[in-house]
Amino acid sequence: MSEQEARPVAEIVDALYRAESRQVLATLIRLLGDFEAAEEALHDAFAAAVEQWGRDGVPANPRAWLVSTGRFKAIDGMRRRARFDASLTEFAKQLETAATEPEEPDEESVEDDRLRLIFTCCHPALSPDAQVAMTLREVCGLTTEEIARAFLAAPPAIAQRIVRAKAKIRDARIPYVVPSEADLPARLDAVLRVIYLVFNEGYSSSSGDSLLRHDLSGEAIRLGRLLIRLLPEPEAMGLLALMLLHDSRRAARTSPTGDLILLENQNRRLWNREQIAEGTTLVERALSTGRIGPYGIQAAIAAVHAGAPDPAATDWVQIVALYDVLMRADPSPVVELNRAVAVAMRDDPSAGLALIDAILERGDLTNYHLTHAARADLCRRLGRTADARVSYELALKLSRQEPERRFLRRRLDELSESGKRD
Amino acid sequence: MKFMLLVHHNEETFGRFSEAVKQEMLRESIQLTHQLHAKGQYVSASPLQPAGTAAVVRVRDGKASVTDGPFIETREQVAGYFLIEAKDLEEAVSVASRVPGARIGTVEVRPVREVAGLPE
């Protein structure tokens, strides 16, 4: 085998690893019944591919070849270890019997395996942190180091989280299955929550530098696409739409110096039209099923914003109506706060202010910086400078995100400026 | 494999329920054991006397000490248990969700470790 022939094979294997290793892994976990064994088998299979394909050529169905090679490598390994542990002999035999199933797995069973992997990684018996780490590691194929960097954590901590999660899956007998129809809504919620968490971690980085973390939003969108291909549920479509519509504003929402730019001040020409079109189409598809949920409704609100050529053209009547629907589907003080801001835009600032004050008087959201920031903004528009200052200062005290803090300080400075002029 | 379902609840809250409600929950629990038995999932089950009846035993340096207990700082106490046979966590969880105690407290689902050398 010459150097020239070897290189393309290595490249083919590389490309296959990037495109297919997660599918192969998902199937190997089902066949071997164990995450660790499947990962080892996956690596053995790809190593064997580099060696054999250079010599014998690339097989017609590389993925099927990788699955069956991985499986046989695992059985071999078990045989070797069986000399020390008799129980493995029986297990190796069982696996071999199972190996007589059709060589070429059909598309449907491959997709089922991917869904099994997603639902297992997002199993509610795992801690939310573990669900996120497992999903990024096993479903997306990120390395432990990449996950650690994205979450500003130490790689050993992430590695340990993953090891513990795998041990729990094994010891608690968390099954490798797609949930039954009765359990599906609750289990799908857990999957969507993980995906949205990953997205938000990348989109609104809860702390520190945001630059490194954009990848997480992209990863979440890829996961969302995979999920609706495998399981076209309305809420999965709604979530993907919501992520696309938020992400479409990425370039417009911060200034070159990293300062936050509010929706009304954004340069709408910077919005990503392709993402808006895709997101809007998905919202319409989700709506047409008549089974829309909180993600879909939020996406519909984002789509109304995205459809306005300039802030003044925003259809606030429609947005308030959608918040009313959201309050019925998924009531929470945060939704109420957003609705209050929309009412302020539809009617006038004092109408919104009354709603926000009612929330605060109930004792809700008193420690949430955005409540005070929204209140401050409405007071400012009503010319109640002193009230605005108190609320901006409260918001500043509660906010931890640097760009947001800079924005609030700027607003406070502006109040002082206008105070001097008065 | 076997799973232990540990039913925890707040005794104080439970104590405030009427006798009729308590009896109804017990009846429902007993009915559940029969349903499990019919499907070969039942191993054993029982409610426990209140935590105030507990004795806590520790052996330190070869000396046993007995104190009352158990853990005043925990608000929820073990109220009873179901030991069941289930194929995986999913099946165990679906049994746990039928335990009446799950509606007023929590049911902790723990896989039982298989160890050799126990009497049959």
Side-chain angles (χ1 to χ4, degrees):
Chain A
M1 176 175 63
S2 74
E3 280 292 309
Q4 282 92 333
E5 279 169 329
R7 182 167 296 152
V9 166
E11 272 168 24
I12 290 167
V13 173
D14 248 18
L16 259 172
Y17 189 87
R18 274 194 303 276
E20 310 251 2
S21 71
R22 297 300 109 189
Q23 278 102 305
V24 176
L25 177 71
T27 302
L28 284 171
I29 295 170
R30 173 171 55 83
L31 294 172
L32 301 171
D34 183 82
F35 275 73
E36 299 286 355
E39 262 160 54
E40 206 177 305
L42 177 77
H43 287 283
D44 289 349
F46 274 95
V50 174
E51 196 186 300
Q52 285 184 33
W53 295 359
R55 194 177 58 226
D56 309 333
V58 179
N61 185 341
R63 186 165 68 200
W65 187 96
L66 287 161
V67 167
S68 73
T69 304
R71 179 166 51 191
F72 283 115
K73 294 268 176 199
I75 295 169
D76 268 2
M78 252 172 247
R79 283 255 163 68
R80 276 196 305 278
R81 284 193 295 272
R83 279 181 236 143
F84 309 102
D85 181 351
S87 68
L88 285 173
T89 316
E90 194 46 43
F91 193 51
K93 252 190 226 144
Q94 276 174 26
L95 281 179
E96 218 164 18
T97 328
T100 50
E101 67 175 81
E103 270 300 297
E104 307 247 327
D106 56 86
E107 264 325 292
E108 200 180 325
S109 78
V110 168
E111 303 214 323
D112 271 355
D113 287 338
R114 296 212 85 184
L115 267 183
R116 283 188 181 98
L117 184 56
I118 292 171
F119 278 109
T120 305
C121 289
C122 298
H123 197 282
L126 302 175
S127 73
D129 280 354
Q131 292 176 33
V132 168
M134 282 294 282
T135 302
L136 289 174
R137 176 74 198 93
E138 309 297 330
V139 182
C140 305
L142 264 61
T143 64
T144 309
E145 288 72 22
E146 285 169 332
I147 301 168
R149 208 175 325 133
F151 285 92
L152 312 172
I158 297 289
Q160 195 181 38
R161 200 175 288 168
I162 291 171
V163 167
R164 284 203 185 129
K166 285 182 193 160
K168 179 156 190 179
I169 289 169
R170 187 187 61 229
D171 298 339
R173 294 280 171 98
I174 293 178
Y176 196 58
V177 292
V178 176
S180 66
E181 209 159 312
D183 294 336
L184 194 63
R187 295 287 308 278
L188 182 63
D189 275 354
V191 172
L192 299 178
R193 202 159 40 234
V194 166
I195 297 176
Y196 200 35
L197 214 104
V198 171
F199 178 80
N200 278 321
E201 204 50 51
Y203 190 68
S204 54
S205 315
S206 55
S207 58
D209 187 3
S210 57
L211 217 66
L212 284 168
R213 321 186 73 193
H214 286 182
D215 280 353
L216 281 181
S217 305
E219 211 59 67
I221 289 173
R222 270 192 288 281
L223 266 172
R225 282 193 212 285
L226 172 67
L227 189 64
I228 67 159
R229 190 165 59 74
L230 299 172
L231 196 71
E233 281 290 307
E235 269 297 78
M237 288 178 212
L239 174 61
L240 177 58
L242 181 61
M243 294 191 295
L244 286 166
L245 290 163
H246 277 327
D247 206 54
S248 72
R249 298 197 295 265
R250 179 186 297 286
R253 68 196 281 269
T254 45
S255 74
T257 50
D259 282 325
L260 208 64
I261 302 175
L262 291 187
L263 188 61
E264 58 188 82
N265 302 326
Q266 287 174 10
N267 176 358
R268 299 188 176 214
R269 280 195 306 268
L270 294 176
W271 289 0
N272 184 323
R273 292 290 143 196
E274 251 171 71
Q275 284 180 314
I276 290 174
E278 190 188 352
T280 307
T281 309
L282 277 164
V283 173
E284 282 160 5
R285 257 178 80 195
L287 275 167
S288 72
T289 63
R291 293 191 293 135
I292 198 160
Y295 290 115
I297 302 164
Q298 290 177 74
I301 294 168
V304 176
H305 281 299
D310 60 83
T314 308
D315 185 351
W316 291 106
V317 173
Q318 171 90 339
I319 288 177
V320 172
L322 285 165
Y323 273 118
D324 289 339
V325 178
L326 188 55
M327 272 304 284
R328 280 197 296 276
D330 189 25
S332 79
V334 173
V335 172
E336 217 180 321
L337 173 65
N338 283 298
R339 183 181 173 278
V341 173
V343 168
M345 296 305 293
R346 184 193 63 182
D347 304 340
D348 61 87
S350 60
L353 187 60
L355 293 172
I356 293 179
D357 283 341
I359 298 170
L360 288 170
E361 266 158 41
R362 264 201 335 252
D364 282 333
L365 302 181
T366 49
N367 289 322
Y368 186 48
H369 64 284
L370 292 180
T371 322
H372 300 289
R375 187 179 190 281
D377 193 50
L378 296 182
C379 288
R380 181 182 60 87
R381 284 195 236 166
L382 288 166
R384 289 166 52 177
T385 311
D387 288 337
R389 183 185 311 282
V390 171
S391 289
Y392 275 130
E393 274 163 2
L394 253 171
L396 187 61
K397 216 169 78 188
L398 292 166
S399 169
R400 266 179 298 276
Q401 273 171 280
E402 206 32 59
E404 218 160 50
R405 295 174 59 85
R406 278 203 300 274
F407 169 79
L408 291 167
R409 271 193 224 103
R410 215 161 56 229
R411 275 286 152 95
L412 269 169
D413 290 346
E414 282 163 17
L415 279 184
S416 314
E417 290 293 313
S418 65
K420 270 179 225 150
R421 273 200 306 275
D422 286 345
Chain B
M1 78 183 286
K2 289 188 183 64
F3 285 84
M4 177 65 101
L5 313 186
L6 293 163
V7 184
H8 304 258
H9 70 208
N10 184 327
E11 280 183 4
E12 228 177 282
T13 315
F14 185 70
R16 284 198 291 270
F17 289 156
S18 72
E19 205 48 46
V21 169
K22 288 183 198 164
Q23 284 305 319
E24 176 54 28
M25 286 182 74
L26 179 62
R27 198 194 56 75
E28 205 185 321
S29 290
I30 292 171
Q31 194 181 22
L32 175 60
T33 61
H34 286 282
Q35 288 161 358
L36 294 173
H37 186 67
K39 294 176 81 180
Q41 290 178 303
Y42 178 76
V43 182
S44 78
S46 199
L48 300 178
Q49 295 290 355
T53 63
V56 177
V57 178
R58 292 180 182 82
V59 178
R60 298 286 182 275
D61 302 320
K63 260 186 267 168
S65 75
V66 181
T67 56
D68 68 341
F71 318 102
I72 308 150
E73 63 274 16
T74 57
R75 208 170 293 154
E76 303 228 308
Q77 289 87 15
V78 181
Y81 72 92
F82 290 75
L83 185 61
I84 62 161
E85 194 66 58
K87 112 175 161 306
D88 55 33
L89 184 71
E90 229 62 3
E91 204 173 290
V93 165
S94 88
V95 173
S97 64
R98 289 157 61 199
V99 171
R103 295 199 299 265
I104 58 162
T106 55
V107 178
E108 183 181 347
V109 179
R110 296 277 291 271
V112 172
R113 260 181 70 195
E114 305 282 343
V115 288
L118 301 177
E120 282 301 306

